[in-house]
Amino acid sequence: VTNAPLEDLDIDLGGFFVQASVDTLDDLAFPRRGTLATAAVEAYRPGLGSDRSFHTLVLRATRAIPLGRHTSLHLTGGWEDTMGSHPPFYLLFSLSDFTRIAALSRENASGERAAYAAAVVQRRISSLPTKIGRGVYLGGAFETGRVWARREDVGFDGIRPAGGLFVGADTVLGPIYAGFGVGYGGNTTLYVFLGRP
């Protein structure tokens, strides 16, 4: 990883991507049932204006399962791979965001390959007036993942667990989330989002 100031970087990217998705979720923000699965390949080539040649593969899937009238379970998994190429540092895979290993620090969680899985339980705890939105939700997550700095690295000995709690509201302005995550080594993170992360 370089420490060069961003103003000193000259970045040229050019390429193409192919993506296939299946979406049967009954709600994108707070689903109760259905599946969302995506497979995407990106290929960057000097002939299309890129500084270097590399490609990436991203596979992600979420299954929402109702556990009762107001509760649902979300099972998520993903695999991200550079497929033997070496992208620039700013396009390495990272799992440290609100929906994936929220409490890992970005500095310690980026590389040429990543895998993750999560189980999230959410419960609708209250309704909102129609003019404001639809409902308020409380949830908890257990996540685990592994980032390989180099694709050649193998093994799952560096798997990192994380967990968190969140409260969310389905409003006319879009979903609002506030979350707190605790991860490997005692990392903690607080998130607040308006709109789908």
Side-chain angles (χ1 to χ4, degrees):
V1 176
T2 181
N3 292 320
L6 288 179
E7 60 267 23
D8 293 339
L9 295 177
D10 184 11
I11 301 169
D12 290 317
L13 296 175
F16 63 89
F17 73 92
V18 177
Q19 178 173 308
S21 297
V22 173
D23 182 359
T24 63
L25 293 179
D26 58 358
D27 187 282
L28 184 59
F30 300 99
R32 282 187 36 76
R33 62 174 44 89
T35 300
L36 175 61
T38 301
V41 174
E42 296 182 0
Y44 297 88
R45 298 287 180 268
L48 296 173
S50 188
D51 288 336
R52 67 173 84 179
S53 179
F54 63 94
H55 36 270
T56 62
L57 168 69
V58 175
L59 304 172
R60 296 178 183 168
T62 296
R63 175 77 175 160
I65 304 165
L67 297 180
R69 186 175 176 191
H70 299 293
T71 306
S72 61
L73 169 67
H74 305 161
L75 301 174
T76 298
W79 182 266
E80 303 174 356
D81 203 307
T82 58
M83 302 189 312
S85 63
H86 301 285
F89 74 93
Y90 49 84
L91 290 178
L92 293 175
F93 298 119
S94 175
L95 298 184
S96 54
D97 62 36
F98 175 64
T99 59
R100 296 178 304 157
I101 319 299
L104 295 183
S105 67
R106 246 177 229 288
E107 295 76 25
N108 296 325
S110 61
E112 294 182 353
R113 178 186 283 169
Y116 58 93
V120 178
V121 175
Q122 75 175 22
R123 180 171 177 82
R124 183 173 175 163
I125 59 173
S126 178
S127 296
L128 291 173
T130 305
K131 292 182 179 181
I132 297 175
R134 294 191 291 181
V136 177
Y137 298 81
L138 183 64
F142 174 76
E143 306 166 297
T144 186
R146 171 74 160 95
V147 177
W148 292 265
R150 295 176 307 162
R151 188 179 184 274
E152 296 78 18
D153 297 339
V154 294
F156 285 88
D157 56 326
I159 288 178
R160 300 291 190 241
L165 298 173
F166 68 89
V167 62
D170 194 358
T171 76
V172 295
L173 298 176
I176 299 173
Y177 303 89
F180 178 76
V182 179
Y184 179 81
N187 290 327
T188 58
T189 309
L190 176 67
Y191 289 93
V192 178
F193 285 104
L194 171 60
R196 178 75 182 165

